[in-house]
Amino acid sequence: MKSIADIKAIKEKMQSEIIMRDNKDSDEIRVVVGMATCGISAGARPVYNTLVDEVLKRNLTNVKISRTGCLGMCKLEPIVEVYAPNQEKVTYCHVNPEKAVNIVVNHLVNGNVCTDYLVGTEE
Amino acid sequence: MRELSLNVLDIAENSFKAKAKTVEVSIIQSGNVLTISIKDDGVGMDEEFLKRVVDPFTTTRTTRKVGMGIPLFKMVAEQSGGTFDITSEVGVGTTVTATFMIDNVDRPPLGDIADTIVSMIGNLGDSELIFNFQAFGESFTLDTNEVKRELENIPINTPEILVFLRDMINENIKTNCRGVSL
Ligand SMILES: Nc1ncnc2c1ncn2[C@@H]1O[C@H](COP(=O)(O)OP(=O)(O)OP(=O)(O)O)[C@@H](O)[C@H]1O
Ligand code: FES
Ligand SMILES: [Mg+2]
């Protein structure tokens, strides 16, 4: 069974990469998931966890995923915001795990905004 | 909310917002009773405000906006034959405790508690989280102080670590529960 003791091995494996990560702050992408009561009940938690999985799977060391509270748009939850360098903030609404995967693949990896999921354009 | 673990995430969010140094989440099965408690040492609430937080509809004075998180959790507990209690003191902290009758048909399942804990660890800010899970006489504890000590310079919210912690929580809970899902 996994325990805290296993962290030592993961840490050693990661330590060299971390130094590289620190060096390229300029291309950091921030992904924020709205997790107020309404966001959570609309399905924000699996979206958050899917983002973590996908970012790890694709080894996107420049991506930081975080949570926030109320984004002021209950009806559009789950909401995911993407802050990429040299790009305006992109707000995705009604995100589910499947859409979250597409956001990682298209937007975070290839830089292409998923226009179908934007506020106003999604069906 | 379809899972109690979603309420746990929501209630714990209040504790992080209240600038708690330590948030303790415990989930304890004992016989037919499931007890969930979320305790923090954050800013706390005064008596008058606490009343309104618990019961936003019957109290008339509205000087400060109150939300739905706490009333929702209270409602689920009471609807499934359980109890709800919240105590708070300004400058000391807040404790929310809910109990549930495990065999009550109206009780939502506990659901994915590992997802909930990992979502919290994803942004602890300056807080620490202690998670304790007890079922069928076995106990599992995850303390982020301890994890951070092991990690040294590596941030606890890196995806590698979050996924590892999620797997670790899942394995331990599954073993403790002996295949029974709460
Ligand atoms: N642990 C706590 N410590 C200090 N204040 C708290 C705590 N829990 C709740 N509160 C106060 O009670 C209010 C109501 O909480 P509640 O969870 O019901 O709704 P909310 O967080 O305001 O909004 P939401 O509906 O998005 O959850 C909070 O805004 C906060 O002011
Ligand atoms: S309460 Fe729903 S987005 Fe703020
Ligand atoms: Mg709340």
Side-chain angles (χ1 to χ4, degrees):
Chain A
M1 196 145 66
K2 291 186 180 63
S3 75
I4 301 269
D6 297 316
I7 286 175
K8 201 157 271 161
I10 306 174
K11 183 179 70 183
E12 273 152 25
K13 196 179 127 256
M14 284 175 62
Q15 235 135 17
S16 54
E17 298 170 38
I18 288 285
I19 296 161
M20 283 164 48
R21 286 177 203 193
D22 285 347
N23 288 342
K24 39 180 197 178
D25 247 12
S26 59
D27 48 58
E28 180 178 290
I29 300 178
R30 250 181 351 109
V31 180
V32 180
V33 184
M35 284 200 165
T37 305
C38 62
I40 294 171
S41 54
R45 191 190 64 186
V47 167
Y48 180 91
N49 278 269
T50 302
L51 289 169
V52 170
D53 281 331
E54 289 301 313
V55 163
L56 174 60
K57 209 184 286 172
R58 287 159 220 283
N59 199 28
L60 307 177
T61 53
N62 61 325
V63 175
K64 271 225 168 75
I65 309 163
S66 57
R67 277 179 296 126
T68 188
C70 174
L71 289 166
M73 300 179 280
C74 300
K75 289 217 173 74
L76 302 177
E77 297 279 356
I79 293 175
V80 172
E81 296 180 332
V82 176
Y83 298 83
N86 309 317
Q87 214 179 59
E88 276 194 51
K89 175 183 84 172
V90 175
T91 304
Y92 294 113
C93 58
H94 294 151
V95 181
N96 57 28
E98 192 193 323
K99 290 182 180 178
V101 173
N102 290 333
I103 291 168
V104 173
V105 175
N106 295 308
H107 191 165
L108 306 190
V109 177
N110 293 320
N112 301 319
V113 174
C114 302
T115 48
D116 291 353
Y117 310 157
L118 299 178
V119 180
T121 59
E122 54 90 54
E123 71 287 17
Chain B
M1 307 228 187
R2 292 171 299 274
E3 300 178 6
L4 294 177
S5 58
L6 290 173
N7 294 103
V8 171
L9 177 59
D10 184 41
I11 299 296
E13 191 68 33
N14 293 336
S15 299
F16 291 111
K17 266 194 265 175
K19 298 184 170 49
K21 281 205 185 67
T22 302
V23 180
E24 291 178 52
V25 171
S26 69
I27 300 178
I28 299 169
Q29 173 272 340
S30 174
N32 190 32
V33 180
L34 185 67
T35 304
I36 296 179
S37 75
I38 296 106
K39 178 176 181 224
D40 70 60
D41 54 2
V43 294
M45 288 169 271
D46 63 44
E47 207 173 316
E48 191 263 343
F49 184 68
L50 185 63
K51 274 199 195 112
R52 268 195 292 136
V53 160
V54 175
D55 224 339
F57 305 112
T58 60
T59 39
T60 46
R61 275 185 60 198
T62 44
T63 44
R64 211 164 124 197
K65 176 205 164 279
V66 287
M68 283 311 298
I70 289 170
L72 257 170
F73 195 38
K74 178 171 187 275
M75 192 184 75
V76 197
E78 289 172 352
Q79 276 177 357
S80 46
T83 60
F84 179 87
D85 184 56
I86 180 167
T87 57
S88 192
E89 195 179 328
V90 175
V92 177
T94 303
T95 302
V96 174
T97 308
T99 65
F100 300 86
M101 291 297 135
I102 291 173
D103 65 1
N104 189 297
V105 290
D106 293 319
R107 182 185 67 89
L110 189 54
D112 201 331
I113 195 71
D115 258 24
T116 278
I117 299 300
V118 163
S119 306
M120 292 181 206
I121 296 178
N123 306 30
L124 284 174
D126 296 324
S127 311
E128 301 292 345
L129 174 69
I130 301 174
F131 168 57
N132 178 241
F133 183 88
Q134 297 176 34
F136 304 98
E138 304 283 342
S139 175
F140 166 72
T141 302
L142 179 77
D143 180 343
T144 56
N145 287 291
E146 232 175 279
V147 176
K148 285 181 183 170
R149 219 158 26 236
E150 284 294 330
L151 283 170
E152 293 171 346
N153 60 337
I154 295 175
I156 194 166
N157 61 353
T158 42
E160 281 94 331
I161 304 303
L162 293 179
V163 170
F164 167 79
L165 293 174
R166 190 169 65 206
D167 291 345
M168 180 173 87
I169 296 166
N170 271 327
E171 269 187 29
N172 279 276
I173 288 182
K174 221 177 247 161
T175 310
N176 283 11
C177 286
R178 303 171 188 158
V180 178
S181 53
L182 288 173

